[in-house]
Amino acid sequence: MHLTRFLADQTIATLKNPARIGLVFSSTGARRLRAMVENSFKLRNISNDWQQDGDLKSRRYDSYDQYVKHQRAKVETLDLGLYDEKYYAALTDRLRGIELGTIPTAGSVLCLGARLGTEVRAFIDQGYFALGIDLNPGTDNKYVVTGDFHHLQFADSSVDLAFTNALDHVFDIDKVLGEVSRVLKPGGTFIVEAVRGTAEGKEPESFASFWWKSVDDLVEFFNKRGFEATLRSRFAFPWGGHFLCLRLSK
């Protein structure tokens, strides 16, 4: 069941970072711990059954509403700690390392599943106009608005770049790619930070809803849907994965 997996994920995270124990004694840590406990019981009926579709698979939900409740709960359990600044620095390095001409050096960026907006800040500080959407952006978030990457509220052909590191939280990958294709300008680029798949030694965590055997399989899937990989590189933080620039061929 989801509850078992959730508790296992939290235990592993604490073993990797014992300082998390001390957070319990702060007001923020105590609040987050309560949210984790409350959500773990609220979501105990979330299934760990997956529907396989070739080299890709999706978590089985009773309804789309159950999926939304599952994903909205994650931000309340996040132990950000130093994550925000570390991820900001890591993503900034990745963006600066992109070969000139691979993506526009300025323009508009839509960040999907942006949570508290670290990636939005990184793009803004590189000279882009950037905005994030998330099912649960929290309160007083000036970088991220409420939104669903299955049903984007933005105009056709309106953004130069789309970005996500939350592809493993998708409910319907075809619908998401359809929406990304719709809002991207012709020849626009979808930047995806994709975690390693099952065949590469990584199992889906408790809030994952979409998974793959390998990043190669994911890239092949994108190619079949009109996205050409123009750049691919490996990274280690916040998890081992691949940085993909996927140009929309239309």
Side-chain angles (χ1 to χ4, degrees):
M1 294 296 289
H2 176 269
L3 177 57
T4 303
R5 181 70 199 186
F6 174 79
L7 294 174
D9 286 344
Q10 296 303 316
T11 300
I12 292 169
T14 302
L15 290 173
K16 288 181 178 179
N17 181 17
R20 294 180 90 218
I21 297 173
L23 290 174
V24 174
F25 299 101
S26 68
S27 59
T28 300
R31 187 164 57 250
R32 186 176 297 125
L33 180 61
R34 286 196 300 271
M36 288 168 58
V37 172
E38 290 171 4
N39 282 325
S40 67
F41 283 99
K42 283 181 191 175
L43 303 173
R44 63 187 181 277
N45 292 325
I46 299 294
S47 171
N48 267 338
D49 291 335
W50 293 74
Q51 178 177 330
Q52 196 76 37
D53 182 10
D55 295 317
L56 310 176
K57 64 180 182 179
S58 301
R59 188 188 295 273
R60 295 181 189 273
Y61 290 94
D62 292 338
S63 65
Y64 188 72
D65 183 60
Q66 186 188 50
Y67 156 79
V68 170
K69 288 178 180 178
H70 184 208
Q71 298 304 317
R72 280 180 57 86
K74 181 168 185 177
V75 74
E76 298 170 5
T77 69
L78 287 176
D79 175 17
L80 293 175
L82 297 175
Y83 169 86
D84 184 70
E85 291 309 316
K86 288 180 68 177
Y87 180 57
Y88 170 87
L91 179 56
T92 296
D93 284 346
R94 293 199 273 275
L95 294 176
R96 288 174 176 167
I98 295 176
E99 184 178 347
L100 193 65
T102 302
I103 63 172
T105 55
S108 54
V109 185
L110 180 60
C111 298
L112 310 177
R115 299 191 187 107
L116 302 185
T118 309
E119 54 267 66
V120 180
R121 287 198 302 116
F123 276 102
I124 289 173
D125 290 347
Q126 293 304 304
Y128 295 91
F129 177 91
L131 177 71
I133 62 129
D134 197 275
L135 288 170
N136 186 1
T139 57
D140 301 322
N141 191 337
K142 64 181 181 180
Y143 298 108
V144 184
V145 299
T146 302
D148 183 343
F149 47 29
H150 298 86
H151 311 283
L152 294 173
Q153 63 263 49
F154 306 103
D156 296 358
S157 303
S158 57
V159 297
D160 298 293
L161 300 169
F163 172 90
T164 192
N165 65 0
L167 200 71
D168 51 318
H169 296 282
V170 164
F171 178 81
D172 184 331
I173 185 60
D174 281 314
K175 186 167 286 189
V176 169
L177 289 186
E179 283 293 271
V180 170
S181 298
R182 181 181 66 78
V183 301
L184 278 177
K185 294 177 182 178
T189 297
F190 187 23
I191 301 176
V192 175
E193 291 190 330
V195 65
R196 298 191 310 266
T198 306
E200 297 159 318
K202 180 70 173 174
E203 293 294 330
E205 51 90 27
S206 54
F207 283 95
S209 54
F210 175 62
W211 206 251
W212 41 91
K213 285 186 177 179
S214 72
V215 178
D216 284 342
D217 298 324
L218 198 57
V219 170
E220 182 180 351
F221 180 83
F222 284 128
N223 287 341
K224 291 178 179 177
R225 280 152 180 80
F227 289 88
E228 176 192 2
T230 58
L231 182 148
R232 179 173 174 178
S233 59
R234 296 177 185 270
F235 61 85
F237 183 85
W239 22 254
H242 293 238
F243 185 90
L244 309 171
C245 288
L246 304 153
R247 182 171 296 152
L248 182 61
S249 54
K250 72 172 185 180

